[in-house]
Amino acid sequence: MIGSQITFAEDEKSDGGRTEKRPLIISTWPFGKPGNEVALKTVEAGKSTLDAVEAGIRHVEASGNQTVGLSGKPNAAGFAQLDACIMHGPGHKAGSVAAIEGIKHPISVARRVMEKTPHVMLAGDGARWFALQEGFESIDISERPKKVKAWKKEQKQRRSEAPAGSAENHDTITMLVLGPDGTLSGGCSTSGLADKLPGRVGDSPILGGGLYVDNKVGAAGATGIGENVMRYCATFMIVEFMRQGLSPTDACKKIIERIKSYEPENKNLAINFIAIDKQGRFGAAGTDKFPHSVTYPGFSEVLTADAV
Ligand code: SD4
C-alpha cells in the first residue's frame, strides 16, 4: 500500500469506489498491482496514459510470474501463444496481436500495430514476423517440437490438478488508466487459457471482448474464460451500460447477469470484469469473488468484488 483510505460514494459502499485523484488505474488480479504502480509513476513523470498502460503491462509481462507473457501457461501442444491489445481513447485508436509466439512484450507489438500500420490486428506467424521486423525482443521458437513431446507427458496430470477456468489458470493482465485530463487508455495481455488448442484466440486481443475504451464514457476489461466473454461483446456492453448511466460496478454486474441468462444454470462461466468511468468511478464483478488492483495517488490496494 502506498497510501490511505479509499472513499466510497453513499450508494457504493461495498462494491466499488470513486476518486477525484488522477491518474486512476485499475487492473485484473493481485499481480496487476505492481503494474499499476509502474503506470502511476509513468503518468506522474509526465507521460501519457497510453505510455502508462504499456509500461504497467510490460512490467507484468516481464515478471516471470507464470501467468502472463512468455512465462505464461503453455497451450495444449506445450508452448505459449500470446494475445494482447491496446486502446487509446483520443481518436478511438486500437492495435492488437493474436497467437503470437516467442515475443517478450506483446503489448508493445500491439501498440506498434496501432501506431505504425494501417491495420488493427495481426495474428500468428504474421504477427511474429512484424514484431521481428520492428526489432522487438524475441526468443528462438525452433525448440518447439521437443517441448511438445515433453508436454504430452505432463499434460494429463496437470489437467487434473487445475482445470481450465480454475483460479490457478488465470493469466491475464487487463489495465485501465484514467489520466489527469480525462484521457482513457487500456491494455490487455495474456498467455490465454492453459491447455488451449494451438491457434485458439481468446477474448483478450478482441476489441469489445477483452477490452474496450470509449473516451467519452469509460473503459472496461475482462479476464476469465474468453469464450464466455467474446460471444457477448462483454466489455463493449459494459461501456454501453455506463453510457446509459450505470455505475462501473453495476455495469459489470449487469453483463454477468445478461450472460448468465443465456447459459445453462450450472455452467462454470468463470468470467470477471473491471471498469472505470470518465468521472473517476471504478468497479468490478465476477462469477466468483474477484480480486483486482486499484491504484491512484496515495492509494494502491487489492480489492475483492463480490460474486454475482
Ligand atoms: C483467455 N481471457 O484467453 C483469457 C484467459 C484469462 O484469466 O483471462 N484468464 O480466454
Side-chain angles (χ1 to χ4, degrees), residues 29 83 169-174 190-193 196 200-205 222-227 229-230 272:
W29 308 114
D83 293 337
N169 277 338
H170 283 304
D171 43 22
T172 298
I173 174 78
T174 306
T190 188
S191 56
L193 283 187
K196 64 187 181 180
R200 176 266 192 187
V201 173
D203 59 315
S204 304
T223 179
I225 298 179
E227 284 73 5
V229 173
M230 61 208 284
N272 310 276

mmCIF file with all atom_site columns, all heavy atoms in Angstrom, residues 29 83 169-174 190-193 196 200-205 222-227 229-230 272, ligand 1:
data_model
loop_
_atom_site.group_PDB
_atom_site.id
_atom_site.type_symbol
_atom_site.label_atom_id
_atom_site.label_alt_id
_atom_site.label_comp_id
_atom_site.label_asym_id
_atom_site.label_entity_id
_atom_site.label_seq_id
_atom_site.pdbx_PDB_ins_code
_atom_site.Cartn_x
_atom_site.Cartn_y
_atom_site.Cartn_z
_atom_site.occupancy
_atom_site.B_iso_or_equiv
_atom_site.pdbx_formal_charge
_atom_site.auth_seq_id
_atom_site.auth_comp_id
_atom_site.auth_asym_id
_atom_site.auth_atom_id
_atom_site.pdbx_PDB_model_num
ATOM   1   N N   . TRP A 1 29  ? -6.630  -8.898  -11.061 1.00 0.00 ? 29  TRP A N   1
ATOM   2   C CA  . TRP A 1 29  ? -5.853  -9.791  -10.193 1.00 0.00 ? 29  TRP A CA  1
ATOM   3   C C   . TRP A 1 29  ? -4.831  -9.032  -9.327  1.00 0.00 ? 29  TRP A C   1
ATOM   4   O O   . TRP A 1 29  ? -4.420  -7.928  -9.664  1.00 0.00 ? 29  TRP A O   1
ATOM   5   C CB  . TRP A 1 29  ? -5.156  -10.896 -11.006 1.00 0.00 ? 29  TRP A CB  1
ATOM   6   C CG  . TRP A 1 29  ? -6.082  -11.638 -11.895 1.00 0.00 ? 29  TRP A CG  1
ATOM   7   C CD1 . TRP A 1 29  ? -6.073  -11.642 -13.266 1.00 0.00 ? 29  TRP A CD1 1
ATOM   8   C CD2 . TRP A 1 29  ? -7.194  -12.465 -11.500 1.00 0.00 ? 29  TRP A CD2 1
ATOM   9   N NE1 . TRP A 1 29  ? -7.098  -12.425 -13.745 1.00 0.00 ? 29  TRP A NE1 1
ATOM   10  C CE2 . TRP A 1 29  ? -7.802  -12.942 -12.679 1.00 0.00 ? 29  TRP A CE2 1
ATOM   11  C CE3 . TRP A 1 29  ? -7.738  -12.851 -10.269 1.00 0.00 ? 29  TRP A CE3 1
ATOM   12  C CZ2 . TRP A 1 29  ? -8.915  -13.771 -12.674 1.00 0.00 ? 29  TRP A CZ2 1
ATOM   13  C CZ3 . TRP A 1 29  ? -8.847  -13.681 -10.268 1.00 0.00 ? 29  TRP A CZ3 1
ATOM   14  C CH2 . TRP A 1 29  ? -9.415  -14.138 -11.457 1.00 0.00 ? 29  TRP A CH2 1
ATOM   15  N N   . ASP A 1 83  ? -1.691  -13.363 -26.582 1.00 0.00 ? 83  ASP A N   1
ATOM   16  C CA  . ASP A 1 83  ? -2.667  -12.421 -27.142 1.00 0.00 ? 83  ASP A CA  1
ATOM   17  C C   . ASP A 1 83  ? -2.528  -11.086 -26.413 1.00 0.00 ? 83  ASP A C   1
ATOM   18  O O   . ASP A 1 83  ? -2.332  -11.069 -25.191 1.00 0.00 ? 83  ASP A O   1
ATOM   19  C CB  . ASP A 1 83  ? -4.107  -12.894 -26.878 1.00 0.00 ? 83  ASP A CB  1
ATOM   20  C CG  . ASP A 1 83  ? -4.490  -14.169 -27.620 1.00 0.00 ? 83  ASP A CG  1
ATOM   21  O OD1 . ASP A 1 83  ? -3.869  -14.489 -28.653 1.00 0.00 ? 83  ASP A OD1 1
ATOM   22  O OD2 . ASP A 1 83  ? -5.443  -14.833 -27.161 1.00 0.00 ? 83  ASP A OD2 1
ATOM   23  N N   . ASN A 1 169 ? -5.496  -21.116 -13.127 1.00 0.00 ? 169 ASN A N   1
ATOM   24  C CA  . ASN A 1 169 ? -5.249  -20.932 -14.547 1.00 0.00 ? 169 ASN A CA  1
ATOM   25  C C   . ASN A 1 169 ? -5.504  -19.508 -15.033 1.00 0.00 ? 169 ASN A C   1
ATOM   26  O O   . ASN A 1 169 ? -5.550  -19.271 -16.224 1.00 0.00 ? 169 ASN A O   1
ATOM   27  C CB  . ASN A 1 169 ? -6.093  -21.917 -15.357 1.00 0.00 ? 169 ASN A CB  1
ATOM   28  C CG  . ASN A 1 169 ? -5.404  -23.258 -15.441 1.00 0.00 ? 169 ASN A CG  1
ATOM   29  O OD1 . ASN A 1 169 ? -4.188  -23.340 -15.271 1.00 0.00 ? 169 ASN A OD1 1
ATOM   30  N ND2 . ASN A 1 169 ? -6.147  -24.307 -15.673 1.00 0.00 ? 169 ASN A ND2 1
ATOM   31  N N   . HIS A 1 170 ? -5.699  -18.580 -14.094 1.00 0.00 ? 170 HIS A N   1
ATOM   32  C CA  . HIS A 1 170 ? -5.933  -17.205 -14.535 1.00 0.00 ? 170 HIS A CA  1
ATOM   33  C C   . HIS A 1 170 ? -4.616  -16.540 -14.888 1.00 0.00 ? 170 HIS A C   1
ATOM   34  O O   . HIS A 1 170 ? -3.630  -16.662 -14.182 1.00 0.00 ? 170 HIS A O   1
ATOM   35  C CB  . HIS A 1 170 ? -6.677  -16.413 -13.473 1.00 0.00 ? 170 HIS A CB  1
ATOM   36  C CG  . HIS A 1 170 ? -8.123  -16.763 -13.463 1.00 0.00 ? 170 HIS A CG  1
ATOM   37  N ND1 . HIS A 1 170 ? -8.908  -16.663 -14.582 1.00 0.00 ? 170 HIS A ND1 1
ATOM   38  C CD2 . HIS A 1 170 ? -8.906  -17.260 -12.493 1.00 0.00 ? 170 HIS A CD2 1
ATOM   39  C CE1 . HIS A 1 170 ? -10.132 -17.058 -14.281 1.00 0.00 ? 170 HIS A CE1 1
ATOM   40  N NE2 . HIS A 1 170 ? -10.157 -17.439 -13.018 1.00 0.00 ? 170 HIS A NE2 1
ATOM   41  N N   . ASP A 1 171 ? -4.625  -15.848 -15.975 1.00 0.00 ? 171 ASP A N   1
ATOM   42  C CA  . ASP A 1 171 ? -3.355  -15.486 -16.575 1.00 0.00 ? 171 ASP A CA  1
ATOM   43  C C   . ASP A 1 171 ? -3.446  -14.243 -17.441 1.00 0.00 ? 171 ASP A C   1
ATOM   44  O O   . ASP A 1 171 ? -2.731  -14.145 -18.424 1.00 0.00 ? 171 ASP A O   1
ATOM   45  C CB  . ASP A 1 171 ? -2.882  -16.661 -17.426 1.00 0.00 ? 171 ASP A CB  1
ATOM   46  C CG  . ASP A 1 171 ? -4.028  -17.244 -18.226 1.00 0.00 ? 171 ASP A CG  1
ATOM   47  O OD1 . ASP A 1 171 ? -5.004  -16.520 -18.447 1.00 0.00 ? 171 ASP A OD1 1
ATOM   48  O OD2 . ASP A 1 171 ? -3.953  -18.412 -18.621 1.00 0.00 ? 171 ASP A OD2 1
ATOM   49  N N   . THR A 1 172 ? -4.293  -13.297 -17.059 1.00 0.00 ? 172 THR A N   1
ATOM   50  C CA  . THR A 1 172 ? -4.455  -12.132 -17.924 1.00 0.00 ? 172 THR A CA  1
ATOM   51  C C   . THR A 1 172 ? -4.308  -10.849 -17.132 1.00 0.00 ? 172 THR A C   1
ATOM   52  O O   . THR A 1 172 ? -4.954  -10.682 -16.102 1.00 0.00 ? 172 THR A O   1
ATOM   53  C CB  . THR A 1 172 ? -5.855  -12.150 -18.578 1.00 0.00 ? 172 THR A CB  1
ATOM   54  O OG1 . THR A 1 172 ? -5.957  -13.320 -19.371 1.00 0.00 ? 172 THR A OG1 1
ATOM   55  C CG2 . THR A 1 172 ? -6.071  -10.923 -19.453 1.00 0.00 ? 172 THR A CG2 1
ATOM   56  N N   . ILE A 1 173 ? -3.466  -9.955  -17.640 1.00 0.00 ? 173 ILE A N   1
ATOM   57  C CA  . ILE A 1 173 ? -3.438  -8.606  -17.084 1.00 0.00 ? 173 ILE A CA  1
ATOM   58  C C   . ILE A 1 173 ? -4.247  -7.707  -18.024 1.00 0.00 ? 173 ILE A C   1
ATOM   59  O O   . ILE A 1 173 ? -3.957  -7.626  -19.210 1.00 0.00 ? 173 ILE A O   1
ATOM   60  C CB  . ILE A 1 173 ? -1.985  -8.084  -16.901 1.00 0.00 ? 173 ILE A CB  1
ATOM   61  C CG1 . ILE A 1 173 ? -1.984  -6.625  -16.461 1.00 0.00 ? 173 ILE A CG1 1
ATOM   62  C CG2 . ILE A 1 173 ? -1.134  -8.228  -18.154 1.00 0.00 ? 173 ILE A CG2 1
ATOM   63  C CD1 . ILE A 1 173 ? -2.276  -6.411  -15.029 1.00 0.00 ? 173 ILE A CD1 1
ATOM   64  N N   . THR A 1 174 ? -5.277  -7.113  -17.479 1.00 0.00 ? 174 THR A N   1
ATOM   65  C CA  . THR A 1 174 ? -6.013  -6.074  -18.203 1.00 0.00 ? 174 THR A CA  1
ATOM   66  C C   . THR A 1 174 ? -5.934  -4.829  -17.341 1.00 0.00 ? 174 THR A C   1
ATOM   67  O O   . THR A 1 174 ? -6.167  -4.901  -16.131 1.00 0.00 ? 174 THR A O   1
ATOM   68  C CB  . THR A 1 174 ? -7.482  -6.473  -18.427 1.00 0.00 ? 174 THR A CB  1
ATOM   69  O OG1 . THR A 1 174 ? -7.521  -7.744  -19.061 1.00 0.00 ? 174 THR A OG1 1
ATOM   70  C CG2 . THR A 1 174 ? -8.196  -5.457  -19.312 1.00 0.00 ? 174 THR A CG2 1
ATOM   71  N N   . THR A 1 190 ? -1.984  -11.554 -22.344 1.00 0.00 ? 190 THR A N   1
ATOM   72  C CA  . THR A 1 190 ? -2.235  -12.865 -21.744 1.00 0.00 ? 190 THR A CA  1
ATOM   73  C C   . THR A 1 190 ? -1.538  -13.978 -22.501 1.00 0.00 ? 190 THR A C   1
ATOM   74  O O   . THR A 1 190 ? -1.258  -13.855 -23.700 1.00 0.00 ? 190 THR A O   1
ATOM   75  C CB  . THR A 1 190 ? -3.753  -13.154 -21.730 1.00 0.00 ? 190 THR A CB  1
ATOM   76  O OG1 . THR A 1 190 ? -4.010  -14.334 -20.978 1.00 0.00 ? 190 THR A OG1 1
ATOM   77  C CG2 . THR A 1 190 ? -4.308  -13.332 -23.128 1.00 0.00 ? 190 THR A CG2 1
ATOM   78  N N   . SER A 1 191 ? -1.280  -15.074 -21.786 1.00 0.00 ? 191 SER A N   1
ATOM   79  C CA  . SER A 1 191 ? -0.891  -16.303 -22.473 1.00 0.00 ? 191 SER A CA  1
ATOM   80  C C   . SER A 1 191 ? -2.148  -17.116 -22.782 1.00 0.00 ? 191 SER A C   1
ATOM   81  O O   . SER A 1 191 ? -2.077  -18.196 -23.351 1.00 0.00 ? 191 SER A O   1
ATOM   82  C CB  . SER A 1 191 ? 0.060   -17.115 -21.599 1.00 0.00 ? 191 SER A CB  1
ATOM   83  O OG  . SER A 1 191 ? -0.524  -17.381 -20.349 1.00 0.00 ? 191 SER A OG  1
ATOM   84  N N   . GLY A 1 192 ? -3.281  -16.593 -22.373 1.00 0.00 ? 192 GLY A N   1
ATOM   85  C CA  . GLY A 1 192 ? -4.563  -17.256 -22.679 1.00 0.00 ? 192 GLY A CA  1
ATOM   86  C C   . GLY A 1 192 ? -4.801  -18.437 -21.755 1.00 0.00 ? 192 GLY A C   1
ATOM   87  O O   . GLY A 1 192 ? -4.003  -18.729 -20.873 1.00 0.00 ? 192 GLY A O   1
ATOM   88  N N   . LEU A 1 193 ? -5.884  -19.097 -21.963 1.00 0.00 ? 193 LEU A N   1
ATOM   89  C CA  . LEU A 1 193 ? -6.211  -20.239 -21.117 1.00 0.00 ? 193 LEU A CA  1
ATOM   90  C C   . LEU A 1 193 ? -5.176  -21.333 -21.272 1.00 0.00 ? 193 LEU A C   1
ATOM   91  O O   . LEU A 1 193 ? -4.792  -21.673 -22.388 1.00 0.00 ? 193 LEU A O   1
ATOM   92  C CB  . LEU A 1 193 ? -7.564  -20.816 -21.516 1.00 0.00 ? 193 LEU A CB  1
ATOM   93  C CG  . LEU A 1 193 ? -8.816  -20.073 -21.069 1.00 0.00 ? 193 LEU A CG  1
ATOM   94  C CD1 . LEU A 1 193 ? -10.031 -20.904 -21.429 1.00 0.00 ? 193 LEU A CD1 1
ATOM   95  C CD2 . LEU A 1 193 ? -8.797  -19.767 -19.585 1.00 0.00 ? 193 LEU A CD2 1
ATOM   96  N N   . LYS A 1 196 ? -5.202  -24.471 -24.068 1.00 0.00 ? 196 LYS A N   1
ATOM   97  C CA  . LYS A 1 196 ? -5.986  -24.121 -25.265 1.00 0.00 ? 196 LYS A CA  1
ATOM   98  C C   . LYS A 1 196 ? -5.353  -24.794 -26.485 1.00 0.00 ? 196 LYS A C   1
ATOM   99  O O   . LYS A 1 196 ? -4.143  -25.080 -26.493 1.00 0.00 ? 196 LYS A O   1
ATOM   100 C CB  . LYS A 1 196 ? -6.009  -22.604 -25.445 1.00 0.00 ? 196 LYS A CB  1
ATOM   101 C CG  . LYS A 1 196 ? -4.624  -22.002 -25.712 1.00 0.00 ? 196 LYS A CG  1
ATOM   102 C CD  . LYS A 1 196 ? -4.657  -20.474 -25.708 1.00 0.00 ? 196 LYS A CD  1
ATOM   103 C CE  . LYS A 1 196 ? -3.270  -19.905 -25.994 1.00 0.00 ? 196 LYS A CE  1
ATOM   104 N NZ  . LYS A 1 196 ? -3.232  -18.452 -26.005 1.00 0.00 ? 196 LYS A NZ  1
ATOM   105 N N   . ARG A 1 200 ? -5.828  -21.118 -31.075 1.00 0.00 ? 200 ARG A N   1
ATOM   106 C CA  . ARG A 1 200 ? -7.028  -20.583 -30.420 1.00 0.00 ? 200 ARG A CA  1
ATOM   107 C C   . ARG A 1 200 ? -6.770  -19.128 -30.014 1.00 0.00 ? 200 ARG A C   1
ATOM   108 O O   . ARG A 1 200 ? -5.754  -18.812 -29.422 1.00 0.00 ? 200 ARG A O   1
ATOM   109 C CB  . ARG A 1 200 ? -7.374  -21.431 -29.197 1.00 0.00 ? 200 ARG A CB  1
ATOM   110 C CG  . ARG A 1 200 ? -8.567  -20.915 -28.375 1.00 0.00 ? 200 ARG A CG  1
ATOM   111 C CD  . ARG A 1 200 ? -8.117  -20.021 -27.226 1.00 0.00 ? 200 ARG A CD  1
ATOM   112 N NE  . ARG A 1 200 ? -9.168  -19.732 -26.266 1.00 0.00 ? 200 ARG A NE  1
ATOM   113 C CZ  . ARG A 1 200 ? -9.047  -18.870 -25.271 1.00 0.00 ? 200 ARG A CZ  1
ATOM   114 N NH1 . ARG A 1 200 ? -7.921  -18.220 -25.106 1.00 0.00 ? 200 ARG A NH1 1
ATOM   115 N NH2 . ARG A 1 200 ? -10.035 -18.661 -24.433 1.00 0.00 ? 200 ARG A NH2 1
ATOM   116 N N   . VAL A 1 201 ? -7.700  -18.261 -30.350 1.00 0.00 ? 201 VAL A N   1
ATOM   117 C CA  . VAL A 1 201 ? -7.606  -16.860 -29.954 1.00 0.00 ? 201 VAL A CA  1
ATOM   118 C C   . VAL A 1 201 ? -8.716  -16.587 -28.943 1.00 0.00 ? 201 VAL A C   1
ATOM   119 O O   . VAL A 1 201 ? -9.878  -16.925 -29.196 1.00 0.00 ? 201 VAL A O   1
ATOM   120 C CB  . VAL A 1 201 ? -7.745  -15.935 -31.185 1.00 0.00 ? 201 VAL A CB  1
ATOM   121 C CG1 . VAL A 1 201 ? -7.825  -14.480 -30.760 1.00 0.00 ? 201 VAL A CG1 1
ATOM   122 C CG2 . VAL A 1 201 ? -6.563  -16.150 -32.136 1.00 0.00 ? 201 VAL A CG2 1
ATOM   123 N N   . GLY A 1 202 ? -8.345  -16.004 -27.828 1.00 0.00 ? 202 GLY A N   1
ATOM   124 C CA  . GLY A 1 202 ? -9.346  -15.726 -26.796 1.00 0.00 ? 202 GLY A CA  1
ATOM   125 C C   . GLY A 1 202 ? -9.955  -14.346 -26.950 1.00 0.00 ? 202 GLY A C   1
ATOM   126 O O   . GLY A 1 202 ? -9.849  -13.703 -27.998 1.00 0.00 ? 202 GLY A O   1
ATOM   127 N N   . ASP A 1 203 ? -10.557 -13.882 -25.873 1.00 0.00 ? 203 ASP A N   1
ATOM   128 C CA  . ASP A 1 203 ? -11.199 -12.565 -25.876 1.00 0.00 ? 203 ASP A CA  1
ATOM   129 C C   . ASP A 1 203 ? -10.178 -11.422 -25.770 1.00 0.00 ? 203 ASP A C   1
ATOM   130 O O   . ASP A 1 203 ? -10.456 -10.300 -26.180 1.00 0.00 ? 203 ASP A O   1
ATOM   131 C CB  . ASP A 1 203 ? -12.164 -12.458 -24.684 1.00 0.00 ? 203 ASP A CB  1
ATOM   132 C CG  . ASP A 1 203 ? -11.424 -12.650 -23.351 1.00 0.00 ? 203 ASP A CG  1
ATOM   133 O OD1 . ASP A 1 203 ? -10.607 -13.588 -23.266 1.00 0.00 ? 203 ASP A OD1 1
ATOM   134 O OD2 . ASP A 1 203 ? -11.652 -11.863 -22.422 1.00 0.00 ? 203 ASP A OD2 1
ATOM   135 N N   . SER A 1 204 ? -9.000  -11.735 -25.197 1.00 0.00 ? 204 SER A N   1
ATOM   136 C CA  . SER A 1 204 ? -8.084  -10.659 -24.794 1.00 0.00 ? 204 SER A CA  1
ATOM   137 C C   . SER A 1 204 ? -7.638  -9.737  -25.930 1.00 0.00 ? 204 SER A C   1
ATOM   138 O O   . SER A 1 204 ? -7.487  -8.534  -25.699 1.00 0.00 ? 204 SER A O   1
ATOM   139 C CB  . SER A 1 204 ? -6.867  -11.251 -24.082 1.00 0.00 ? 204 SER A CB  1
ATOM   140 O OG  . SER A 1 204 ? -7.298  -12.023 -22.993 1.00 0.00 ? 204 SER A OG  1
ATOM   141 N N   . PRO A 1 205 ? -7.388  -10.228 -27.156 1.00 0.00 ? 205 PRO A N   1
ATOM   142 C CA  . PRO A 1 205 ? -6.997  -9.293  -28.206 1.00 0.00 ? 205 PRO A CA  1
ATOM   143 C C   . PRO A 1 205 ? -8.198  -8.751  -28.999 1.00 0.00 ? 205 PRO A C   1
ATOM   144 O O   . PRO A 1 205 ? -8.014  -8.022  -29.982 1.00 0.00 ? 205 PRO A O   1
ATOM   145 C CB  . PRO A 1 205 ? -6.124  -10.163 -29.119 1.00 0.00 ? 205 PRO A CB  1
ATOM   146 C CG  . PRO A 1 205 ? -6.744  -11.515 -29.006 1.00 0.00 ? 205 PRO A CG  1
ATOM   147 C CD  . PRO A 1 205 ? -7.305  -11.626 -27.608 1.00 0.00 ? 205 PRO A CD  1
ATOM   148 N N   . ALA A 1 222 ? -11.668 -7.463  -19.268 1.00 0.00 ? 222 ALA A N   1
ATOM   149 C CA  . ALA A 1 222 ? -12.147 -8.782  -18.845 1.00 0.00 ? 222 ALA A CA  1
ATOM   150 C C   . ALA A 1 222 ? -10.999 -9.716  -18.517 1.00 0.00 ? 222 ALA A C   1
ATOM   151 O O   . ALA A 1 222 ? -9.868  -9.530  -18.972 1.00 0.00 ? 222 ALA A O   1
ATOM   152 C CB  . ALA A 1 222 ? -12.980 -9.399  -19.965 1.00 0.00 ? 222 ALA A CB  1
ATOM   153 N N   . THR A 1 223 ? -11.311 -10.739 -17.740 1.00 0.00 ? 223 THR A N   1
ATOM   154 C CA  . THR A 1 223 ? -10.424 -11.881 -17.567 1.00 0.00 ? 223 THR A CA  1
ATOM   155 C C   . THR A 1 223 ? -11.292 -13.094 -17.242 1.00 0.00 ? 223 THR A C   1
ATOM   156 O O   . THR A 1 223 ? -12.383 -12.962 -16.713 1.00 0.00 ? 223 THR A O   1
ATOM   157 C CB  . THR A 1 223 ? -9.375  -11.632 -16.461 1.00 0.00 ? 223 THR A CB  1
ATOM   158 O OG1 . THR A 1 223 ? -8.554  -12.802 -16.334 1.00 0.00 ? 223 THR A OG1 1
ATOM   159 C CG2 . THR A 1 223 ? -10.001 -11.307 -15.129 1.00 0.00 ? 223 THR A CG2 1
ATOM   160 N N   . GLY A 1 224 ? -10.797 -14.269 -17.592 1.00 0.00 ? 224 GLY A N   1
ATOM   161 C CA  . GLY A 1 224 ? -11.589 -15.480 -17.388 1.00 0.00 ? 224 GLY A CA  1
ATOM   162 C C   . GLY A 1 224 ? -11.698 -16.252 -18.691 1.00 0.00 ? 224 GLY A C   1
ATOM   163 O O   . GLY A 1 224 ? -10.892 -16.048 -19.605 1.00 0.00 ? 224 GLY A O   1
ATOM   164 N N   . ILE A 1 225 ? -12.668 -17.119 -18.767 1.00 0.00 ? 225 ILE A N   1
ATOM   165 C CA  . ILE A 1 225 ? -12.797 -17.961 -19.962 1.00 0.00 ? 225 ILE A CA  1
ATOM   166 C C   . ILE A 1 225 ? -13.289 -17.111 -21.142 1.00 0.00 ? 225 ILE A C   1
ATOM   167 O O   . ILE A 1 225 ? -14.448 -16.676 -21.182 1.00 0.00 ? 225 ILE A O   1
ATOM   168 C CB  . ILE A 1 225 ? -13.737 -19.149 -19.703 1.00 0.00 ? 225 ILE A CB  1
ATOM   169 C CG1 . ILE A 1 225 ? -13.149 -20.032 -18.588 1.00 0.00 ? 225 ILE A CG1 1
ATOM   170 C CG2 . ILE A 1 225 ? -13.946 -19.958 -20.990 1.00 0.00 ? 225 ILE A CG2 1
ATOM   171 C CD1 . ILE A 1 225 ? -13.994 -21.224 -18.213 1.00 0.00 ? 225 ILE A CD1 1
ATOM   172 N N   . GLY A 1 226 ? -12.372 -16.874 -22.069 1.00 0.00 ? 226 GLY A N   1
ATOM   173 C CA  . GLY A 1 226 ? -12.631 -15.936 -23.150 1.00 0.00 ? 226 GLY A CA  1
ATOM   174 C C   . GLY A 1 226 ? -13.848 -16.273 -23.996 1.00 0.00 ? 226 GLY A C   1
ATOM   175 O O   . GLY A 1 226 ? -14.553 -15.374 -24.479 1.00 0.00 ? 226 GLY A O   1
ATOM   176 N N   . GLU A 1 227 ? -14.109 -17.546 -24.147 1.00 0.00 ? 227 GLU A N   1
ATOM   177 C CA  . GLU A 1 227 ? -15.252 -17.954 -24.969 1.00 0.00 ? 227 GLU A CA  1
ATOM   178 C C   . GLU A 1 227 ? -16.562 -17.436 -24.378 1.00 0.00 ? 227 GLU A C   1
ATOM   179 O O   . GLU A 1 227 ? -17.530 -17.195 -25.109 1.00 0.00 ? 227 GLU A O   1
ATOM   180 C CB  . GLU A 1 227 ? -15.296 -19.485 -25.090 1.00 0.00 ? 227 GLU A CB  1
ATOM   181 C CG  . GLU A 1 227 ? -14.268 -20.088 -26.066 1.00 0.00 ? 227 GLU A CG  1
ATOM   182 C CD  . GLU A 1 227 ? -12.824 -20.066 -25.562 1.00 0.00 ? 227 GLU A CD  1
ATOM   183 O OE1 . GLU A 1 227 ? -12.589 -19.668 -24.409 1.00 0.00 ? 227 GLU A OE1 1
ATOM   184 O OE2 . GLU A 1 227 ? -11.924 -20.423 -26.353 1.00 0.00 ? 227 GLU A OE2 1
ATOM   185 N N   . VAL A 1 229 ? -16.817 -14.614 -22.862 1.00 0.00 ? 229 VAL A N   1
ATOM   186 C CA  . VAL A 1 229 ? -16.772 -13.149 -22.912 1.00 0.00 ? 229 VAL A CA  1
ATOM   187 C C   . VAL A 1 229 ? -17.014 -12.665 -24.337 1.00 0.00 ? 229 VAL A C   1
ATOM   188 O O   . VAL A 1 229 ? -17.859 -11.813 -24.605 1.00 0.00 ? 229 VAL A O   1
ATOM   189 C CB  . VAL A 1 229 ? -15.385 -12.644 -22.413 1.00 0.00 ? 229 VAL A CB  1
ATOM   190 C CG1 . VAL A 1 229 ? -15.240 -11.150 -22.616 1.00 0.00 ? 229 VAL A CG1 1
ATOM   191 C CG2 . VAL A 1 229 ? -15.172 -13.026 -20.959 1.00 0.00 ? 229 VAL A CG2 1
ATOM   192 N N   . MET A 1 230 ? -16.280 -13.277 -25.283 1.00 0.00 ? 230 MET A N   1
ATOM   193 C CA  . MET A 1 230 ? -16.290 -12.735 -26.644 1.00 0.00 ? 230 MET A CA  1
ATOM   194 C C   . MET A 1 230 ? -17.602 -12.986 -27.373 1.00 0.00 ? 230 MET A C   1
ATOM   195 O O   . MET A 1 230 ? -17.985 -12.218 -28.255 1.00 0.00 ? 230 MET A O   1
ATOM   196 C CB  . MET A 1 230 ? -15.088 -13.263 -27.437 1.00 0.00 ? 230 MET A CB  1
ATOM   197 C CG  . MET A 1 230 ? -15.032 -14.754 -27.612 1.00 0.00 ? 230 MET A CG  1
ATOM   198 S SD  . MET A 1 230 ? -13.320 -15.364 -27.791 1.00 0.00 ? 230 MET A SD  1
ATOM   199 C CE  . MET A 1 230 ? -12.935 -14.901 -29.465 1.00 0.00 ? 230 MET A CE  1
ATOM   200 N N   . ASN A 1 272 ? -14.830 -12.405 -15.313 1.00 0.00 ? 272 ASN A N   1
ATOM   201 C CA  . ASN A 1 272 ? -14.625 -11.303 -14.366 1.00 0.00 ? 272 ASN A CA  1
ATOM   202 C C   . ASN A 1 272 ? -14.383 -10.018 -15.158 1.00 0.00 ? 272 ASN A C   1
ATOM   203 O O   . ASN A 1 272 ? -13.713 -10.059 -16.197 1.00 0.00 ? 272 ASN A O   1
ATOM   204 C CB  . ASN A 1 272 ? -13.378 -11.556 -13.511 1.00 0.00 ? 272 ASN A CB  1
ATOM   205 C CG  . ASN A 1 272 ? -13.374 -12.944 -12.909 1.00 0.00 ? 272 ASN A CG  1
ATOM   206 O OD1 . ASN A 1 272 ? -13.959 -13.177 -11.872 1.00 0.00 ? 272 ASN A OD1 1
ATOM   207 N ND2 . ASN A 1 272 ? -12.714 -13.881 -13.588 1.00 0.00 ? 272 ASN A ND2 1
HETATM 208 C C1  . SD4 B 2 .   ? -8.477  -16.202 -22.468 1.00 0.00 ? 1   SD4 B C1  1
HETATM 209 N N1  . SD4 B 2 .   ? -9.399  -14.460 -21.112 1.00 0.00 ? 1   SD4 B N1  1
HETATM 210 O O1  . SD4 B 2 .   ? -7.560  -16.475 -23.221 1.00 0.00 ? 1   SD4 B O1  1
HETATM 211 C C2  . SD4 B 2 .   ? -8.224  -15.249 -21.330 1.00 0.00 ? 1   SD4 B C2  1
HETATM 212 C C3  . SD4 B 2 .   ? -7.777  -16.050 -20.160 1.00 0.00 ? 1   SD4 B C3  1
HETATM 213 C C4  . SD4 B 2 .   ? -7.856  -15.349 -18.852 1.00 0.00 ? 1   SD4 B C4  1
HETATM 214 O O2  . SD4 B 2 .   ? -7.566  -15.335 -16.629 1.00 0.00 ? 1   SD4 B O2  1
HETATM 215 O O3  . SD4 B 2 .   ? -8.239  -14.236 -18.708 1.00 0.00 ? 1   SD4 B O3  1
HETATM 216 N N2  . SD4 B 2 .   ? -7.520  -15.973 -17.788 1.00 0.00 ? 1   SD4 B N2  1
HETATM 217 O O4  . SD4 B 2 .   ? -9.602  -16.689 -22.572 1.00 0.00 ? 1   SD4 B O4  1
#
